[in-house]
Amino acid sequence: MAKLDKLLQDWIAQGFINSEQAGKIHQYESAKPKTSWFLYGTLTLGVSVLGMGIISLIAANWHQIGDYAKLFAAFSILSVVAIFAFQANKASKRVIYDVLVLALQALSLATIGLISQIYHTDGEPYQALLFWTLITLPLVITTEFTFAPFIWAGSFIGASLWGLLESKILRVPEIDHAELLLVITPLFTAVLAIIARLLRGSTGIMKAMHIWVMIGALIGLSVVEFWSAGHPRLNFGQLGTSIISVLSLMIVAPVAASKLYSNLQKVLLTSLVIVYIIAVNMAATRLSGDLLGACFTLIELGLLGAFYASQKARGRFNIVLMLMGLRFFVLFLQALRGLAMTGFGLILSGIILIALASVWNKRRHQIAAWMERITQ
Amino acid sequence: MNRSPKFIIAALAFPILALLGLAINKATIREIGRIVTFKITGYDPRDLLSGHYLIYQIDYGIPGLCTNPDVQGQTIYICPQEQRVYGDKPASCSYFIKGTCQNQRFEAGVERYYIPQEYAVRLDRLVQNKQGSVTLSVASNGEAQVNRLLIEGLPWAEFIQKNQEPPAP
């Protein structure tokens, strides 16, 4: 409220509003239900620890207790938590509702474990995780905060990629399976984020997807750089190339057709995909070296930063800028082999970046208009 | 985002009903299936979600089962009584088990048995010594489910109780 008071005082001083209006605005804002990040964070941590405890307890296998008694206890707890969550939603207690949803997610996973234990099911962990993500998706859609969707999205991405690795489709001996999965991780997370955006996912899901896209991008770029630095040649085969192409198309085509993205954003996203495919192919065919690999990373981060800037996503933009700065530093250490030369190189790069930022600041409207024109 | 009371009720009820359906499906196969017993051999890994378990190979008494490279990855039906393998559900067999050939092994989703941590080492040793067998519940469509782990013909808990090991010196 201190920030609002300061703003109100400023607006009164500027003559935009009078004291009576300021009082009404203050009264209206004070009456809004407050969301405590401290309460949400602490409760989330508590529920997560509790969930892990329940899973460990189930894993201990209490064979003296009858199977039906264990199942009855599990379903009773699930039902009670669901009823409490419904009541919390009815009373508009968003923090409590989201925390109870998280508890329900943890208990659902624990119950899958319990059913596996009682009936000795012989499935892989990724199958259990995929089943869990499927049955908890409607729950996640109803949440407002980021943690439950973040865990859900991470589990879905991990389980899907693991499932793909285990699937018959990829059981071709001449393909580097793990490497292929790492390469497609950023494309896969981007496809999911785009689907969530097109389906107008909740704030929590969108924020969670943004975090996973960034994690996916870092994994993909790191792997491509690692190979560019001369590690054993990659082999994706025809099948790997097809998977990369399909995923790329699944990013570019819906974005191009959607009105949710501006022309500038469409150009930036398409460029991101194209540069990534070029970087992957050059690393795979060993045409790229460590410096070229670093250049690809910087171009990709630059495009990603520009995309976030176009979305006015300040937090994500700043993270990308920080990563670019870090990569620049490492690049000069790699290229110039010495602190003195690195220092000169960084000073030069800093001057270039400041000049670019100044030009952008002065001419951004003309540049944006030009981009809109050429993409129409 | 849709937050109507009906949607919230559906979202909260869906995982519970799905899990209930899963449990009922498993319980039905266990309760109504035909009970058969096979010898096993195996080893003991650990599942973070559900605890310790034994993984074993079941001896169905069919020589050369799944050794043919042509059947790898394919769904087959075995008839232990006739010691024969079928590509489709066999009409002549009184009971049959559905599974796939993976890495030259027949897998029917019954190759795992969860055990308490404190007995894991001992049970593993007993199974390695070929003293173990499992009873399966086999449904009429060939789907099978593990029912009990037996050691020398006794339920494992009973065997452990009757054969207490002296405490380590």
Side-chain angles (χ1 to χ4, degrees):
Chain A
M1 278 296 135
K3 194 179 170 186
L4 179 68
D5 289 339
K6 212 173 165 184
L7 278 173
L8 290 172
Q9 278 171 13
D10 187 32
W11 292 341
I12 292 168
Q14 295 295 326
F16 299 145
I17 55 171
N18 57 36
S19 304
E20 195 188 341
Q21 287 168 324
K24 281 182 181 172
I25 293 171
H26 189 274
Q27 202 178 359
Y28 172 74
E29 289 296 328
S30 305
K32 276 186 180 174
K34 289 179 188 64
T35 301
S36 166
W37 57 266
F38 177 78
L39 180 68
Y40 179 68
T42 318
L43 288 176
T44 299
L45 180 67
V47 166
S48 306
V49 172
L50 194 76
M52 284 188 276
I54 290 171
I55 290 171
S56 296
L57 205 64
I58 288 171
N61 196 335
W62 301 80
H63 71 106
Q64 302 91 338
I65 303 171
D67 293 345
Y68 289 124
K70 283 192 267 191
L71 285 172
F72 180 76
F75 282 105
S76 301
I77 296 169
L78 277 170
S79 306
V80 168
V81 173
I83 290 165
F84 276 120
F86 179 72
Q87 295 297 341
N89 180 67
K90 209 172 160 186
S92 298
K93 291 179 178 168
R94 294 307 308 169
V95 171
I96 304 293
Y97 176 78
D98 270 39
V99 169
L100 287 171
V101 162
L102 191 64
L104 211 52
Q105 277 184 297
L107 286 167
S108 300
L109 189 62
T111 308
I112 291 173
L114 180 68
I115 293 171
S116 300
Q117 194 187 79
I118 289 173
Y119 296 105
H120 310 284
T121 55
D122 189 18
E124 294 293 329
Y126 78 87
Q127 291 170 326
L129 272 181
L130 276 178
F131 177 67
W132 176 71
T133 54
L134 180 78
I135 63 171
T136 55
L137 176 62
L139 272 181
V140 169
I141 289 172
T142 63
T143 57
E144 201 170 277
F145 296 96
T146 314
F147 192 71
F150 178 75
I151 297 291
W152 184 91
S155 305
F156 182 73
I157 292 164
S160 304
L161 291 173
W162 186 356
L164 192 65
L165 187 69
E166 296 281 330
S167 72
K168 283 179 193 169
I169 312 166
L170 276 186
R171 283 194 186 159
V172 185
E174 62 270 21
I175 292 178
D176 299 323
H177 299 94
E179 287 86 344
L180 176 62
L181 279 193
L182 292 172
V183 163
I184 65 170
T185 299
L187 298 171
F188 187 67
T189 51
V191 168
L192 290 179
I194 288 165
I195 291 170
R197 173 101 197 263
L198 295 177
L199 294 175
R200 296 174 195 276
S202 66
T203 322
I205 288 187
M206 288 315 301
K207 277 186 186 169
M209 287 317 304
H210 287 313
I211 299 169
W212 280 111
V213 165
M214 211 173 270
I215 295 170
L218 282 179
I219 291 172
L221 292 174
S222 309
V223 166
V224 169
E225 273 217 40
F226 184 71
W227 285 317
S228 300
H231 291 276
R233 189 166 175 258
L234 280 173
N235 187 1
F236 298 144
Q238 197 71 35
L239 185 68
T241 311
S242 304
I243 292 172
I244 292 170
S245 308
V246 169
L247 284 173
S248 304
L249 206 63
M250 284 171 76
I251 297 170
V252 175
V255 166
S258 170
K259 287 180 181 168
L260 288 173
Y261 297 90
S262 70
N263 285 338
L264 177 65
Q265 289 171 340
K266 288 174 185 177
V267 170
L268 288 169
L269 275 178
T270 309
S271 309
L272 260 167
V273 173
I274 291 169
V275 173
Y276 185 67
I277 291 173
I278 293 170
V280 168
N281 278 300
M282 287 189 76
T285 50
R286 274 194 171 172
L287 286 172
S288 171
D290 53 352
L291 293 182
L292 197 56
C295 289
F296 276 124
T297 300
L298 285 168
I299 293 168
E300 287 282 273
L301 288 174
L303 289 167
L304 195 60
F307 179 73
Y308 287 148
S310 74
Q311 285 190 316
K312 297 189 171 38
R314 198 167 57 179
R316 275 171 269 145
F317 174 75
N318 284 335
I319 291 171
V320 172
L321 275 193
M322 192 191 71
L323 291 171
M324 282 183 79
L326 203 67
R327 191 64 194 92
F328 256 116
F329 181 69
V330 179
L331 172 67
F332 280 107
L333 281 179
Q334 278 175 288
L336 302 172
R337 322 271 180 209
L339 280 175
M341 289 304 285
T342 301
F344 283 122
L346 284 171
I347 289 166
L348 185 69
S349 302
I351 291 168
I352 293 168
L353 281 173
I354 291 166
L356 282 172
S358 305
V359 171
W360 170 256
N361 197 35
K362 278 184 187 164
R363 310 250 177 216
R364 63 181 187 275
H365 295 301
Q366 287 108 306
I367 296 169
W370 173 74
M371 288 293 284
E372 290 290 321
R373 264 203 314 278
I374 61 162
T375 52
Q376 270 169 6
Chain B
M1 193 44 58
N2 192 344
R3 288 245 185 85
S4 69
K6 278 183 187 171
F7 185 82
I8 296 284
I9 291 171
L12 291 169
F14 183 63
I16 302 174
L17 294 175
L19 290 169
L20 200 61
L22 179 70
I24 290 170
N25 175 45
K26 298 286 175 193
T28 309
I29 296 173
R30 182 189 272 191
E31 298 302 330
I32 66 164
R34 179 185 175 134
I35 306 291
V36 281
T37 304
F38 296 101
K39 284 271 177 198
I40 55 167
T41 51
Y43 62 94
D44 165 43
R46 191 176 175 205
D47 178 347
L48 286 176
L49 200 61
S50 315
H52 282 263
Y53 57 85
L54 294 166
I55 285 188
Y56 42 79
Q57 269 188 283
I58 298 178
D59 180 8
Y60 292 102
I62 301 173
L65 179 60
C66 285
T67 48
N68 183 350
D70 295 340
V71 294
Q72 297 306 310
Q74 285 186 14
T75 301
I76 57 166
Y77 298 83
I78 59 163
C79 180
Q81 283 176 320
E82 294 176 5
Q83 297 193 344
R84 279 191 64 183
V85 176
Y86 292 87
D88 287 310
K89 288 176 185 175
S92 58
C93 196
S94 63
Y95 79 92
F96 53 89
I97 300 169
K98 182 185 171 186
T100 50
C101 286
Q102 302 285 359
N103 304 321
Q104 301 203 322
R105 281 205 302 247
F106 180 71
E107 291 181 5
V110 288
E111 292 77 20
R112 184 180 297 196
Y113 193 93
Y114 287 92
I115 47 173
Q117 187 178 359
E118 63 264 37
Y119 305 118
V121 175
R122 193 167 169 205
L123 287 172
D124 174 49
R125 205 171 51 229
L126 291 164
V127 170
Q128 292 287 9
N129 287 342
K130 299 187 177 177
Q131 291 168 272
S133 52
V134 285
T135 58
L136 305 181
S137 290
V138 186
S140 56
N141 63 356
E143 213 175 308
Q145 199 175 290
V146 187
N147 208 333
R148 284 198 297 185
L149 171 70
L150 305 173
I151 305 292
E152 292 183 356
L154 290 173
W156 70 265
E158 204 179 318
F159 178 87
I160 294 275
Q161 210 174 15
K162 282 187 178 171
N163 298 276
Q164 297 280 359
E165 279 187 340

